[in-house]
Amino acid sequence: LAMKVEHLAAANKTPGYDIMSYDIYGFPRRIEVKSGLGKKAVFDLTRNEKKMAEKYGQEYVIAVVENLRNKPTVEFIVNPVGQSWWNKNNPSPYIWEVDLRAPFENDEEE
């Protein structure tokens, strides 16, 4: 399966996710990577990324990579459409803001 993994973003392909991968059973995993130097509690999804997440459901994974320069961590969000925060923020019809902060945190902490 490792031989079948494709880094689509590196090949300038934009299907709405960055990596085409597979789980241990051979089922597709379409991975969209969101990364930052610090904590990545808020990120944007393009219209195409949102559409693909809704189309692929359980196959779609957002990999949130934080602290790239120090000790990188990765959180995988499988099927973001099934999350309680899905469709909560929509500042424009082209970009969707995803906010993973707890409800009591405010914007001053960014």
Side-chain angles (χ1 to χ4, degrees), residues 13-27:
K13 296 179 182 177
T14 56
Y17 47 93
D18 299 316
I19 300 167
M20 183 68 218
S21 187
Y22 303 87
D23 68 12
I24 60 172
Y25 303 105
F27 293 106

Side-chain angles (χ1 to χ4, degrees), residues 7-97:
H7 187 185
L8 302 169
N12 290 321
K13 296 179 182 177
T14 56
Y17 47 93
D18 299 316
I19 300 167
M20 183 68 218
S21 187
Y22 303 87
D23 68 12
I24 60 172
Y25 303 105
F27 293 106
R29 284 286 184 241
R30 300 160 200 280
I31 303 170
E32 174 59 29
V33 179
K34 300 296 181 182
S35 63
L37 298 176
K39 184 156 178 57
K40 193 79 175 150
V42 178
F43 57 85
D44 294 333
L45 285 179
T46 66
R47 180 170 49 176
N48 192 38
E49 292 164 352
K50 183 178 184 292
K51 181 180 170 184
M52 293 300 108
E54 291 170 339
K55 177 179 180 178
Y56 291 112
Q58 284 294 118
E59 292 181 14
Y60 200 89
V61 178
I62 298 175
V64 181
V65 184
E66 300 177 328
N67 303 311
L68 284 174
R69 289 201 178 139
N70 297 324
K71 294 182 179 179
T73 60
V74 181
E75 175 187 353
F76 295 100
I77 303 170
V78 178
N79 189 17
V81 176
Q83 303 297 318
S84 62
W85 45 260
W86 190 256
N87 274 332
K88 295 290 185 201
N89 300 305
N90 183 8
S92 81
Y94 301 105
I95 299 292
W96 282 260
E97 182 179 81

